[in-house]
Amino acid sequence: MELLSVNNSKAFVAERNQSLPSIKSSELAEGSQRPIQSENQDKVSISESARAALASSLGKELHDDQSVAQSKATAVESQDEQAKQKIDEIIAMLKKQLDELRQALQALEGDNTEVAAEKRKALESQIGALSAQLTELINQKLELEKKNMRENGR
């Protein structure tokens, strides 16, 4: 019997048999498919206190690793959610501005003066710019949602 010390506080006891089974060279050359079996198997036993310490240590490491991974995932999800909320707020603001510009444009419908024509041109230009911004924000929001779906699907 041989006593092995691990971590200065846990002990493993191992029984060893130094003899190895003999293998015929003809068995190796033939590529035998049968498993090699030893007559005397090595045995290892762990004391109950060592088992408890090992389970506690490994369990804590696994739990800590999982907690860190979950924290990182939650932080990323939180950032994505905040970004989506900001995008939603800006989208709502742009929609409101577009409605106001369209109403102003509609109010100029019956006016055929040169000043009204210039105002219509300026309003149409602003409506075009806001529409482009709105489209870009909607695309960004869709990309965030696709990213979240890919990450949650893993």
Side-chain angles (χ1 to χ4, degrees):
M1 242 186 223
E2 182 179 331
L3 181 63
L4 303 172
S5 175
V6 177
N7 290 340
N8 296 330
S9 63
K10 299 163 193 76
F12 294 93
V13 178
E15 296 176 15
R16 292 185 159 207
N17 184 344
Q18 297 298 330
S19 65
L20 297 173
S22 61
I23 301 173
K24 297 178 184 175
S25 61
S26 62
E27 289 177 348
L28 290 174
E30 293 172 1
S32 174
Q33 294 297 319
R34 68 180 180 93
I36 300 173
Q37 296 180 351
S38 172
E39 292 175 14
N40 296 319
Q41 300 277 330
D42 289 343
K43 295 181 183 179
V44 176
S45 61
I46 302 173
S47 69
E48 287 301 317
S49 62
R51 281 183 202 220
L54 182 62
S56 173
S57 174
L58 287 177
K60 183 179 182 321
E61 282 184 38
L62 291 174
H63 180 70
D64 289 347
D65 289 346
Q66 186 177 14
S67 294
V68 168
Q70 285 176 345
S71 295
K72 286 180 181 178
T74 302
V76 168
E77 287 175 11
S78 176
Q79 288 175 348
D80 288 348
E81 195 60 37
Q82 287 176 352
K84 280 178 27 179
Q85 286 176 353
K86 284 191 175 205
I87 289 173
D88 285 339
E89 290 172 8
I90 295 170
I91 287 173
M93 182 186 68
L94 289 176
K95 284 182 177 180
K96 184 179 176 183
Q97 287 178 356
L98 279 171
D99 286 341
E100 291 171 358
L101 290 173
R102 287 184 182 133
Q103 288 174 359
L105 186 62
Q106 191 174 17
L108 293 174
E109 246 181 48
D111 193 352
N112 292 331
T113 64
E114 199 171 307
V115 173
E118 289 177 17
K119 284 183 180 180
R120 272 194 291 276
K121 191 173 183 179
L123 289 172
E124 288 170 350
S125 176
Q126 288 177 339
I127 289 173
L130 289 178
S131 295
Q133 288 177 0
L134 185 62
T135 302
E136 180 61 31
L137 287 172
I138 290 171
N139 287 336
Q140 286 178 10
K141 183 178 174 183
L142 287 173
E143 288 298 319
L144 276 174
E145 289 174 356
K146 284 180 186 178
K147 177 184 167 191
N148 286 342
M149 287 177 63
R150 282 191 304 261
E151 289 175 355
N152 292 335
R154 288 183 183 164

